[in-house]
Amino acid sequence: MPSANLPLPPATFFILFALATGDKHGYAIMQDARKLSDNRFQIGPATLYTTVQRLLDSSWIEEVQGPADGDPRRRYYRLTKQGNSALHYEMDRMEALVRKSKALRLRPMESGS
Amino acid sequence: MIISLQLSTRLYARLLVLYPEELRRDYGSEMALAFADDLDTARRDAGLRGVIRVWRCALCEFLKFALPGRLSSPAVRVPFIALAFSVFSLSVELVLHYSTQAPLRFAIAAMLPTFGTVLTPLAVIWACRSRGVLSLGLSHAAVGEE
């Protein structure tokens, strides 16, 4: 996974993050992305499926068969090995940034200052 | 509320016509399904505020994904700009007219330039297109970057 792809755009990151916990269809990815971001990031259908198509093209996710009792109108997606390593590269990058900011004892500025 | 949800879903499905063809062809039905589910969940969780949030997101996406593709064609761009300019001028006139009157009327009039400038030309072009008045030989190459 080339580090040139980092940082991942937020939609890409949250889609990969949502799929890290199992196969999901589009709407489940949208819901998970919202939950994982504590309601701070919302993916709409157009952003979701545009990004899904790009991730399919780069083989970071793949389409899989849904559960037998699932809605046949929905397609399910799975994180591939490449997608998984991209997600972990990104998380490592974020973790390193947090570590650095802690080492520098950076704090948010007080409002009005 | 259920009726308004159905209307919202139908309106979204209509709006999909203006999205890039590739995206619409491959994912249109799932996009409409995801929107309907999202709207339903948002209404149950947060009521009207939730519905507004979902629509705001959908409209932002519309401006980001659908509008640039549409405006890439001169057949749409020229009438769009002309109509937008006309609506904007008219709206400003209305705002100035109502500025001396009741605050509520002024507030309503002040919203016109914002919404009317974009939505009126789009509605007109959309109506023309669905009646075959405008033939849009558009390229849908750009599915859009984030």
Side-chain angles (χ1 to χ4, degrees):
Chain A
M1 144 70 205
S3 56
N5 287 321
L6 300 180
L8 298 178
T12 303
F13 174 75
F14 279 111
I15 290 171
L16 296 178
F17 200 0
L19 288 174
T21 55
D23 302 351
K24 288 184 184 75
H25 57 71
Y27 178 58
I29 296 172
M30 276 167 69
Q31 277 185 311
D32 268 26
R34 196 173 305 145
K35 278 183 208 155
L36 290 167
S37 67
D38 292 327
N39 286 317
R40 286 178 193 164
F41 184 71
Q42 182 174 10
I43 303 182
T47 307
L48 173 76
Y49 286 106
T50 305
T51 311
V52 159
Q53 185 56 57
R54 262 213 311 277
L55 293 174
L56 285 169
D57 291 343
S58 46
S59 303
W60 284 12
I61 64 171
E62 60 188 355
E63 203 179 314
V64 291
Q65 189 79 36
D69 58 343
D71 186 339
R73 294 172 300 171
R74 299 179 197 275
R75 279 180 275 187
Y76 284 72
Y77 303 98
R78 177 179 292 163
L79 196 62
T80 62
K81 216 170 172 179
Q82 284 164 279
N84 193 40
S85 68
L87 177 66
H88 283 91
Y89 269 106
E90 177 68 350
M91 285 179 159
D92 288 347
R93 189 190 66 84
M94 288 175 169
E95 221 175 316
L97 280 176
V98 172
R99 267 200 311 272
K100 271 180 200 160
S101 76
K102 279 185 177 165
L104 292 169
R105 295 173 190 279
L106 295 180
R107 292 278 180 275
M109 288 172 87
E110 296 288 324
S111 59
S113 66
Chain B
M1 190 58 130
I2 300 295
I3 293 171
S4 69
L5 284 187
Q6 285 172 347
L7 276 175
S8 281
T9 310
R10 218 176 291 169
L11 181 63
Y12 185 77
R14 290 260 174 166
L15 275 180
L16 283 178
V17 175
L18 296 168
Y19 277 78
E21 193 184 344
E22 215 175 303
L23 181 67
R24 188 165 26 105
R25 188 191 57 224
D26 295 343
Y27 300 104
S29 58
E30 277 173 281
M31 283 169 70
L33 197 62
F35 177 81
D37 286 344
D38 202 18
L39 202 64
D40 192 39
T41 310
R43 182 192 61 84
R44 274 188 277 117
D45 294 349
L48 183 63
R49 221 173 46 185
V51 172
I52 291 170
R53 176 178 54 76
V54 172
W55 261 115
R56 195 185 55 205
C57 176
L59 288 176
C60 287
E61 283 197 326
F62 179 78
L63 295 176
K64 188 171 155 190
F65 292 98
L67 207 56
R70 300 287 100 173
L71 293 181
S72 67
S73 160
V76 174
R77 196 170 51 231
V78 173
F80 179 89
I81 292 171
L83 279 163
F85 183 73
S86 317
V87 174
F88 182 75
S89 315
L90 270 171
S91 309
V92 169
E93 241 185 274
L94 272 174
V95 171
L96 291 175
H97 176 73
Y98 282 118
S99 61
T100 53
Q101 299 188 18
L104 181 66
R105 279 187 189 178
F106 176 66
I108 293 169
M111 279 194 289
L112 280 172
T114 320
F115 294 104
T117 307
V118 175
L119 293 181
T120 311
L122 269 180
V124 172
I125 290 166
W126 189 10
C128 289
R129 195 201 164 195
S130 62
R131 282 162 184 75
V133 178
L134 268 178
S135 158
L136 308 180
L138 299 177
S139 75
H140 301 285
V143 178
E145 290 289 312
E146 278 173 64

